[in-house]
Amino acid sequence: MDAQGRGRDEGIDPADQWVLNPDTGDYELRLTPSSGRSAAAAGTTDARTPGTRRRPGRTTPPADKASVPGQRGGRRGAGGGRGDRDEPRKQGGRAAAPATGRRKAKPRKSGKKKALVWTGGVLAFLLVGVGTTGYFVYEHFNGNITAISTDGAGTGGFSKDRAINVLVIGTDKRTGEGNEGYGDAGSVGHADTNILFHVSKDRTNATALSIPRDLIADIPNCPTKLENGEEKDIPGTPGGRFNTSLGQSDRTPSCTMRTVTELTGITPDHFMVADFNAVKSLTTAVGGVDVCLAKDINDKDSHLKLSKGEHTLQGEQALSFLRTRHSVGFGSDLSRIEIQQQFLGSLMRKLKSSDTLTSPTKMWSLAEAATKALTVDDQIDDINKLRKLGMELASVDPKNITFTTVPVLDNPNDKATVILDESKAPQVFSMMREDVSFTAVEKQEKAAAKAKADAKLKGEMADAADVRVDVYNGGAPAGSAQNALDWLQNEESVLKSTNQANAPEDVKKTQLVYGPNQADQARRLADMMGLSASALKPTTTDAGEMDPMKLTLGPDFKKAGSPLSAPQKAPDDIQRVEADKAVCAK
């Protein structure tokens, strides 16, 4: 909360009151609180996206009193069950507020606190210096946040011991001053820009996967809690445009989450949504983003007119750059995705620079703009939750962040849309599911080398005719056990194989259980099916001479003959760019 908002209008800019504490290395906001000036914000509904709500019970400064850098008065409009498979299964508060006075900073072992917040569809990360500024700053930023239910479509939250997946959605809703010339007239706010941001389990690398808005995808049935509290099961659309997974038929971001899971096999942990105003406010807060043009651009649709060379863009001009497509590449939405990725990489480099990290004014403005601009899921509707998520992402070096796009082909039945490139897209999805880096991370290179060495197992592989295995369905699609059996017997000549239908229990991934004396058989079967080393589960005792191995097919099994282990390298000719590389838009 600012000085004016507490009845001490002395012309003081709160950003200038951030003071470096030499004992902790933290910037602290030196304000002395006074009583009786907070206003409880009643829960209100936001017009950004279907189902949005302001979190009730928060304290925010009066709109006519606010003078925090980057703050604007008021709010603006914006944007089952498993079922049968091979045969019926066997039975089987937030922290309490300090009363008054300055809050003492806690010692830290190193550096300033930094939180990395994923900003929204056409933006990137914002380093937000919340620091140890106490209850009033906490309440101020918390009051900015707008949240929507995940409707059970996400994982329920990220954790430190596994990879993180955040779905970022940029809508084409035109609400907000100055946005009449962008997007489709009367749009309800479709999923216009979509990035699935995957951060590795060890936090050494990340992949930002752009999903084209015009991709033909199966939109599943979406159980949804609407803005008015009504619960509705919105019917799916097989073979629909991806962008209609939001807005169309009252769909909320949770439906876009479900569509991403259906498409990629990856369940997002969280989502964040941004509209056109987010682009303008966030780029202004950071002081502009540097871009490079390989040619002059004059796009009448996006209102962008720039000469060849380098430019620093913010506000309206930055939005025009991110919306342009007719004057770059092939003039398609895929070309626009490429310049958006280049823009995001430049923004990341700007945010990592000392000019941003050492400027309290910029840090405050970024935090203000980010919390106001975004709509988030209800699992991260608190500034501390957002900060924790940001700190998990903050250690990733830009050189190990890869922007890529879902490999697609022109739709032969409709020139306005695209379809999956089935020869490349499954490899990209598999790499992300299995947490394989798209960049040459040293740690992963060493791990890959060790895995390769371990793969040179001693002894000869068994002949296919000697492989004895029982096949179970432990969570794979219906009919998978029989599908695998037919393939093993007819294509690979594994005749000593049987279909045992459903496993007693599901497994998270396909696994092969075998005795130590069956290692040669296991190696042979693993080689046939493309099983990873982690899928092999040896027991401690030898199996009987006639005992079969036990192959249990998990959700990762799609069809027989398709390797289950992720490739260690992305296809050479897919579109991608690393965040640390400056690329000129062509």
Side-chain angles (χ1 to χ4, degrees):
M1 180 175 291
D2 58 37
Q4 292 87 337
R6 291 183 287 110
R8 294 174 59 243
D9 191 350
E10 303 169 4
I12 299 172
D13 185 342
D16 294 332
Q17 299 175 45
W18 288 68
V19 180
L20 179 64
N21 185 332
D23 296 327
T24 66
D26 284 342
Y27 279 97
E28 301 176 19
L29 184 62
R30 298 298 175 85
L31 295 177
T32 302
S34 59
S35 60
R37 296 292 302 175
S38 62
T44 59
T45 301
D46 218 335
R48 296 184 195 168
T49 47
T52 58
R53 62 175 175 80
R54 289 291 302 277
R55 188 175 179 182
R58 291 194 174 147
T59 301
T60 54
D64 61 341
K65 298 283 188 179
S67 63
V68 179
Q71 180 174 341
R72 297 181 300 278
R75 298 286 291 174
R76 67 200 176 288
R82 188 171 71 169
D84 294 337
R85 291 198 293 265
D86 290 277
E87 62 180 40
R89 293 181 52 78
K90 298 179 181 178
Q91 293 295 325
R94 246 165 26 199
T100 57
R102 183 181 304 163
R103 187 170 181 175
K104 185 177 180 181
K106 297 180 180 179
R108 281 180 59 87
K109 294 182 179 180
S110 63
K112 296 183 291 293
K113 282 188 179 180
K114 306 168 192 173
L116 192 64
V117 179
W118 202 201
T119 65
V122 290
L123 297 176
F125 305 95
L126 294 180
L127 287 158
V128 182
V130 177
T132 54
T133 55
Y135 174 72
F136 292 97
V137 173
Y138 170 85
E139 281 294 290
H140 174 75
F141 289 128
N142 233 28
N144 290 341
I145 298 172
T146 302
I148 307 178
S149 174
T150 63
D151 297 313
T155 63
F158 72 93
S159 63
K160 291 179 176 291
D161 59 350
R162 61 177 176 81
I164 299 174
N165 296 287
V166 179
L167 175 62
V168 183
I169 307 169
T171 75
D172 60 355
K173 197 169 185 178
R174 303 195 312 173
T175 52
E177 184 178 353
N179 296 323
E180 297 83 2
Y182 298 104
D184 297 326
S187 173
V188 292
H190 296 113
D192 193 53
T193 300
N194 310 278
I195 300 176
L196 179 60
F197 189 68
H198 171 89
V199 181
S200 66
K201 178 180 178 180
D202 61 10
R203 309 297 189 253
T204 63
N205 64 92
T207 302
L209 179 69
S210 293
I211 303 174
R213 67 177 189 183
D214 298 324
L215 174 66
I216 296 300
D218 292 332
I219 302 173
N221 294 341
C222 296
T224 304
K225 186 175 183 179
L226 302 179
E227 182 181 332
N228 61 8
E230 176 189 352
E231 294 186 359
K232 179 180 180 181
D233 193 0
I234 302 173
T237 306
R241 282 199 189 202
F242 185 92
N243 67 342
T244 60
S245 64
L246 175 64
Q248 203 85 354
S249 305
D250 292 327
R251 290 170 178 145
T252 69
S254 67
C255 192
T256 308
M257 289 181 92
R258 296 185 195 277
T259 306
V260 168
T261 302
E262 184 85 9
L263 175 69
T264 67
I266 300 168
T267 301
D269 300 300
H270 300 290
F271 67 74
M272 295 186 180
V273 184
D275 62 9
F276 292 163
N277 289 317
V279 178
K280 295 190 284 190
S281 63
L282 290 165
T283 54
T284 300
V286 79
V289 177
D290 299 329
V291 300
C292 174
L293 304 179
K295 63 180 181 181
D296 295 344
I297 288 182
N298 186 4
D299 191 331
K300 294 180 180 179
D301 289 328
S302 69
H303 315 295
L304 182 68
K305 186 175 182 179
L306 290 173
S307 60
K308 175 182 177 180
E310 297 180 355
H311 301 269
T312 300
L313 308 180
Q314 61 179 302
E316 196 75 41
Q317 203 172 35
L319 177 59
S320 295
F321 180 81
L322 291 169
R323 294 292 302 170
T324 197
R325 64 188 175 104
H326 296 299
S327 298
V328 294
F330 297 103
S332 67
D333 187 58
L334 297 178
S335 296
R336 179 164 61 185
I337 286 175
E338 290 188 34
I339 68 169
Q340 288 174 352
Q341 293 173 348
Q342 294 160 14
F343 186 90
L344 292 173
S346 178
L347 179 54
M348 288 181 186
R349 295 191 295 274
K350 180 71 172 283
L351 292 170
K352 287 281 189 178
S353 70
S354 59
D355 288 346
T356 300
L357 296 177
T358 58
S359 170
T361 301
K362 283 187 178 180
M363 298 293 270
W364 182 282
S365 296
L366 285 168
E368 183 79 356
T371 51
K372 277 191 169 185
L374 299 178
T375 297
V376 301
D377 70 71
D378 56 0
Q379 301 299 312
I380 46 175
D381 63 346
D382 178 276
I383 192 64
N384 273 337
K385 294 177 182 178
L386 280 171
R387 183 176 62 85
K388 289 176 181 177
L389 174 60
M391 293 180 73
E392 286 296 302
L393 313 182
S395 61
V396 183
D397 193 311
K399 72 178 182 181
N400 293 327
I401 300 175
T402 300
F403 289 98
T404 188
T405 304
V406 173
V408 296
L409 300 170
D410 290 335
N411 187 349
N413 301 318
D414 177 6
K415 293 183 179 180
T417 60
V418 293
I419 59 175
L420 279 185
D421 183 342
E422 295 291 353
S423 68
K424 299 172 184 174
Q427 298 179 56
V428 172
F429 300 154
S430 178
M431 288 181 68
M432 293 181 69
R433 286 195 304 267
E434 298 300 321
D435 206 22
V436 178
S437 174
F438 281 65
T439 59
V441 179
E442 182 178 358
K443 184 175 181 180
Q444 291 209 349
E445 285 181 335
K446 290 181 179 179
K450 183 179 184 300
K452 187 175 181 179
D454 292 343
K456 295 180 178 179
L457 302 173
K458 297 180 180 179
E460 296 294 331
M461 289 186 183
D463 290 334
D466 296 327
V467 173
R468 189 183 299 271
V469 62
D470 284 347
V471 183
Y472 295 82
N473 191 325
S480 291
Q482 187 60 47
N483 175 251
L485 182 72
D486 292 342
W487 180 78
L488 287 171
Q489 292 186 344
N490 299 327
E491 301 296 330
E492 299 295 331
S493 300
V494 181
L495 302 180
K496 298 176 182 177
S497 52
T498 57
N499 175 7
Q500 295 296 322
N502 293 329
E505 295 182 357
D506 279 358
V507 293
K508 292 182 178 179
K509 293 183 179 181
T510 298
Q511 63 181 30
L512 177 64
V513 178
Y514 62 96
N517 60 330
Q518 295 172 317
D520 57 342
Q521 295 184 48
R523 285 193 291 270
R524 179 62 167 161
L525 189 62
D527 183 63
M528 291 177 188
M529 299 193 65
L531 298 177
S532 64
S534 62
L536 303 182
K537 308 291 183 183
T539 61
T540 57
T541 57
D542 285 345
E545 183 178 354
M546 302 300 290
D547 289 343
M549 299 182 293
K550 181 179 178 181
L551 174 65
T552 305
L553 306 177
D556 56 334
F557 180 86
K558 303 304 179 185
K559 63 178 182 179
S562 178
L564 295 177
S565 58
Q568 295 301 305
K569 183 181 178 183
D572 291 331
D573 53 352
I574 64 169
Q575 181 275 324
R576 62 178 177 175
V577 63
E578 278 70 49
D580 66 323
K581 293 180 173 60
V583 181
C584 293
K586 300 178 180 179

